[in-house]
Amino acid sequence: MPRPDRRPRGPRVRHDLCWTTLRAHRPTAIALLLSAIAAAPASGRFRRELTSWTTPLRRHLENRRDRGEPPAGDPELLAAAVSALLAGLNHALPPGDGAVANLVLHGLTGPGQ
């Protein structure tokens, strides 16, 4: 039963969704990243790629803002920044069972995430 002093919350976003997808499709994600980086900077392709990868995160931040819980900045810019971090980690970390990648991600998000 929703509390009268709070609005019902929307669906929860899996915080690891973008990371899991990047790791599952690592070669394709790296190829897209490198291709976008190689494109002319004025084309805006790099930012569009990063922003499209984190659409669920951007929507989550927009929903928080709409509920009166403002994020730390513009949802589109934050989503692109997080995407750049995740894309860089995906490129730098070795493929495999994900043990090293999961340790790094755990270090970034903190315990219990």
Side-chain angles (χ1 to χ4, degrees):
M1 175 180 214
R3 291 175 46 183
D5 60 335
R6 291 193 178 174
R7 293 186 211 170
R9 295 184 182 249
R12 294 195 54 91
V13 172
R14 278 191 50 204
H15 297 295
D16 65 342
L17 180 64
C18 295
W19 178 250
T20 303
T21 303
L22 283 172
R23 292 305 285 179
H25 303 285
R26 186 174 183 270
T28 303
I30 290 172
L32 287 170
L33 174 69
L34 294 178
S35 175
I37 290 172
S43 72
R45 182 169 169 219
F46 182 60
R47 182 171 179 181
R48 281 194 308 274
E49 284 289 341
L50 295 178
T51 304
S52 70
W53 293 349
T54 53
T55 298
L57 175 60
R58 180 183 48 79
R59 288 183 184 150
H60 172 71
L61 293 170
E62 288 170 348
N63 288 339
R64 287 187 64 142
R65 180 187 61 205
D66 294 344
R67 289 192 315 259
E69 303 172 28
D74 176 52
E76 185 176 346
L77 182 61
L78 288 173
V82 168
S83 184
L85 172 72
L86 293 178
L89 283 173
N90 186 45
H91 187 257
L93 294 174
D97 66 358
V100 172
N102 288 338
L103 283 173
V104 170
L105 190 61
H106 176 75
L108 291 173
T109 59
Q113 297 294 321

